[in-house]
Amino acid sequence: QVQLVESGGGSVQPGGSLKLSCAISGLLSENYCLAWFRQAPTKEREGVAALSSVYRRTTYADSVNGRFTISRSNADGTLFLQMNSLKPDDTALYFCAAARSFSFTCNMMSTAYNSWGQGTQVTVSS
């Protein structure tokens, strides 16, 4: 059973940076899609970035491309999301998610993921 635990959220001013972490356990040796999603109040959950665990292909939402970077530690498998140039629109509850994958790239449809963390809050405000 895959388990995910996010950390690293907080409050930051516009233009600032945060790095989210997701500790992952229970992954098998096969390829997985590992992704970050976010959900703001009254909005639907949206994909932010995704990474294939074996092929290391990355996918980003247009709204964060060039500002956010998804990566994974080779040492312990922790998933990261480095967020730079943060904007008030980035304010949301951020989740990490995982799903077995049989393709080189990962999509960011929430229905494709079956393991989720509890979320960590990111607030961008002056």
Side-chain angles (χ1 to χ4, degrees):
Q1 182 177 356
V2 179
Q3 294 184 322
L4 307 102
V5 180
E6 304 93 338
S7 62
S11 295
V12 64
Q13 293 186 339
S17 298
L18 279 175
K19 187 173 185 177
L20 305 183
S21 300
C22 177
I24 307 174
S25 60
L27 292 183
L28 302 177
S29 59
E30 290 83 358
N31 187 48
Y32 285 79
C33 281
L34 308 174
W36 288 97
F37 288 81
R38 67 186 181 186
Q39 188 165 17
T42 74
K43 293 187 178 180
E44 293 187 357
R45 189 170 297 188
E46 63 169 342
V48 173
L51 169 73
S52 58
S53 64
V54 170
Y55 305 107
R56 300 287 177 159
R57 298 283 184 92
T58 57
T59 305
Y60 293 95
D62 289 343
S63 59
V64 306
N65 198 19
R67 300 189 297 123
F68 291 11
T69 302
I70 188 171
S71 63
R72 189 173 181 220
S73 167
N74 291 325
D76 62 6
T78 299
L79 185 70
F80 300 104
L81 184 68
Q82 176 66 48
M83 305 185 294
N84 298 329
S85 303
L86 282 161
K87 306 174 182 180
D89 283 350
D90 296 317
T91 296
L93 187 62
Y94 282 71
F95 301 88
C96 58
R100 282 286 308 280
S101 174
F102 300 95
S103 63
F104 293 107
T105 58
C106 297
N107 69 54
M108 292 190 292
M109 297 176 59
S110 60
T111 53
Y113 292 79
N114 52 14
S115 296
W116 292 85
Q118 294 300 306
T120 185
Q121 178 67 37
V122 172
T123 301
V124 184
S125 174
S126 56

